[in-house]
Amino acid sequence: MKFDEIGNVIEKEEMTGALFNIAWKVSRPRQVVRRDGSLGNAELGQKDNSYLKVSKGTVELTTRSWLSASKLFFDMKLQEHTLRKVIGDDAYLWPFSCGIKKDAGLKPKILLRFPEGLFKELYESEFKRSEISYMTFRNQVYMKVLRGFVAKRWFLEYLFGATPYDFAAGEGEGKSSPKRSAANIINPVVQKQAESLNYLNLKKYLKTSDRTNPDGIMPNGNYADLSEMEEKGVHYLQIEAVDYDPRSIFGVTPLMISTLELMAGYFLMTENTETGTLSDARSFSLSVAEESPYAKSDVVMKARLFMQDLLRFGEKLGFARMQSVSDALKLRIEEPENTPSAKLLRLQGS
């Protein structure tokens, strides 16, 4: 673990506390399913609003903007309680990132935003002298963190993959081999689209991207059109590389948020991820998503090494939830049968 220029300034100027004040927003599209296993209509008898959208058999819950991690889960708890009263006793929310019917994306959208004060302090204390604009600097920081997440997407798939089957494609026990994350498997055409994305800087990214992003990790903002981002800058990073955890009523868990928070700080302060390494990382991510949940493959060694770096980083910076996060990550990495997909397979029938 070696800090780069940004990391050294953050440490020297004692700004590390800002890394653990990331603001969050989560959208959770879920299919409504009847007790007989058929797709519900999700007729809630009310108009859509900014926190609840209804489309045929799907509802999408979105938390308020922008919340600390603790307030985020309080908000999700209130939403879940209210929604379950509305949909009644004869229906429930499908708990997987792969729907029972063909869907247009059921994965949770986790948005993270660094404190604006952190960018301003960094720029004024060190990077203003480089004579680039504040907006350009800010965008570069977000793109640096984004490259780190794309390069380590396989780590998220290993830890949080929880869709052993593509249910909409008719997969299931006895019909096909289970996977870590059927929700994260992309076909060759989509993979080729991902390879064309250029994450070197925001300008190059916008030239090579449309509104979709096969990597599931992207810069984003509150825009009517993506082209506005070049002028107005990145507002936040959007991460769709984790599956819902079916054992959690919210689908999104505190461990997910804590791990993303640690990784975001780590990518911000450590040496840059080169764009040339992303293609190999993408191929490795695909192989991790496709392999058996019980496999003790190359991913275990790679995950162990990255986890050790990540935990050293968290300990050095005094991350508050270090012990519980450390214990949970070590359990999943050292014993693959404790990863979510493997646990689901063991719980089938209960």
Side-chain angles (χ1 to χ4, degrees), residues 204-319:
K204 288 184 181 295
Y205 172 78
L206 292 173
K207 282 184 177 179
T208 54
S209 173
D210 54 19
R211 280 195 171 273
T212 62
N213 181 311
D215 284 322
I217 302 167
M218 64 206 81
N220 215 331
N222 302 318
Y223 311 110
D225 190 86
L226 197 65
S227 60
E228 295 178 45
M229 194 184 300
E230 188 168 356
E231 179 185 345
K232 297 180 182 178
V234 179
H235 290 168
Y236 52 80
L237 294 185
Q238 181 168 320
I239 298 172
E240 300 175 20
V242 295
D243 290 343
Y244 289 116
D245 187 333
R247 296 167 301 158
S248 163
I249 192 171
F250 308 133
V252 174
T253 66
L255 180 62
M256 289 178 187
I257 299 300
S258 294
T259 302
L260 292 174
E261 188 173 45
L262 264 180
M263 291 173 72
Y266 178 89
F267 297 141
L268 176 62
M269 291 186 66
T270 55
E271 294 181 316
N272 230 327
T273 300
E274 298 297 328
T275 55
T277 66
L278 297 185
S279 181
D280 287 342
R282 194 175 283 120
S283 295
F284 187 63
S285 293
L286 188 56
S287 69
V288 170
E290 288 180 316
E291 70 184 358
S292 165
Y294 298 109
K296 291 191 176 183
S297 64
D298 292 343
V299 71
V300 174
M301 181 60 73
K302 290 187 70 166
R304 183 184 297 132
L305 292 173
F306 180 60
M307 177 192 67
Q308 288 169 354
D309 250 9
L310 201 60
L311 296 182
R312 278 196 294 267
F313 171 79
E315 287 167 2
K316 183 177 176 67
L317 270 66
F319 185 57

Side-chain angles (χ1 to χ4, degrees), residues 12 35 37 52 65 81 86 100 106 109 116 162 176 203 219 231 269 278 284 293 299 302 320 343 346:
K12 178 185 174 184
R35 288 193 176 275
L52 173 63
S65 304
H81 178 71
V86 173
I100 58 169
L106 285 181
K109 302 177 183 70
E116 197 64 34
S176 54
K203 189 173 183 178
E231 179 185 345
M269 291 186 66
L278 297 185
F284 187 63
V299 71
K302 290 187 70 166
K343 277 196 167 185
R346 290 158 61 194

Side-chain angles (χ1 to χ4, degrees), residues 150-210:
V150 174
K152 292 293 190 292
R153 175 174 171 155
W154 57 266
F155 187 71
L156 295 173
E157 289 171 351
Y158 181 76
L159 290 173
F160 303 113
T163 47
Y165 303 111
D166 183 347
F167 305 102
E171 292 182 357
E173 187 179 15
K175 296 180 181 179
S176 54
S177 299
K179 308 169 184 69
R180 291 195 193 281
S181 177
N184 276 308
I185 294 173
I186 57 177
N187 62 46
V189 174
V190 176
Q191 188 173 10
K192 190 175 180 181
Q193 281 181 296
E195 297 292 351
S196 69
L197 292 171
N198 190 328
Y199 293 111
L200 183 62
N201 55 52
L202 182 61
K203 189 173 183 178
K204 288 184 181 295
Y205 172 78
L206 292 173
K207 282 184 177 179
T208 54
S209 173
D210 54 19

Side-chain angles (χ1 to χ4, degrees), residues 51-204:
Y51 308 116
L52 173 63
K53 293 184 179 179
V54 182
S55 176
K56 297 181 181 177
T58 303
V59 296
E60 182 169 0
L61 293 165
T62 301
T63 59
R64 292 169 294 158
S65 304
W66 285 84
L67 303 172
S68 65
S70 59
K71 289 182 179 178
L72 180 76
F73 285 96
F74 180 73
D75 205 50
M76 284 195 283
K77 184 177 181 179
L78 289 177
Q79 287 186 327
E80 203 76 21
H81 178 71
T82 303
L83 182 64
R84 285 179 183 277
K85 276 190 171 182
V86 173
I87 65 175
D89 296 332
D90 295 325
Y92 62 93
L93 300 180
W94 184 247
F96 298 99
S97 297
C98 285
I100 58 169
K101 299 289 185 183
K102 194 66 178 174
D103 59 82
L106 285 181
K107 293 174 73 65
K109 302 177 183 70
I110 302 175
L111 317 183
L112 72 86
R113 189 178 73 182
F114 286 108
E116 197 64 34
L118 175 62
F119 292 118
K120 290 178 179 177
E121 287 289 330
L122 280 170
Y123 186 71
E124 291 296 330
S125 63
E126 183 67 28
F127 297 97
K128 190 174 184 178
R129 68 187 70 178
S130 64
E131 297 185 357
I132 61 171
S133 70
Y134 172 70
M135 184 66 73
T136 299
F137 166 72
R138 193 174 168 282
N139 290 339
Q140 286 177 347
V141 173
Y142 269 119
M143 294 304 291
K144 178 193 178 202
V145 174
L146 185 150
R147 287 194 296 273
F149 273 115
V150 174
K152 292 293 190 292
R153 175 174 171 155
W154 57 266
F155 187 71
L156 295 173
E157 289 171 351
Y158 181 76
L159 290 173
F160 303 113
T163 47
Y165 303 111
D166 183 347
F167 305 102
E171 292 182 357
E173 187 179 15
K175 296 180 181 179
S176 54
S177 299
K179 308 169 184 69
R180 291 195 193 281
S181 177
N184 276 308
I185 294 173
I186 57 177
N187 62 46
V189 174
V190 176
Q191 188 173 10
K192 190 175 180 181
Q193 281 181 296
E195 297 292 351
S196 69
L197 292 171
N198 190 328
Y199 293 111
L200 183 62
N201 55 52
L202 182 61
K203 189 173 183 178
K204 288 184 181 295

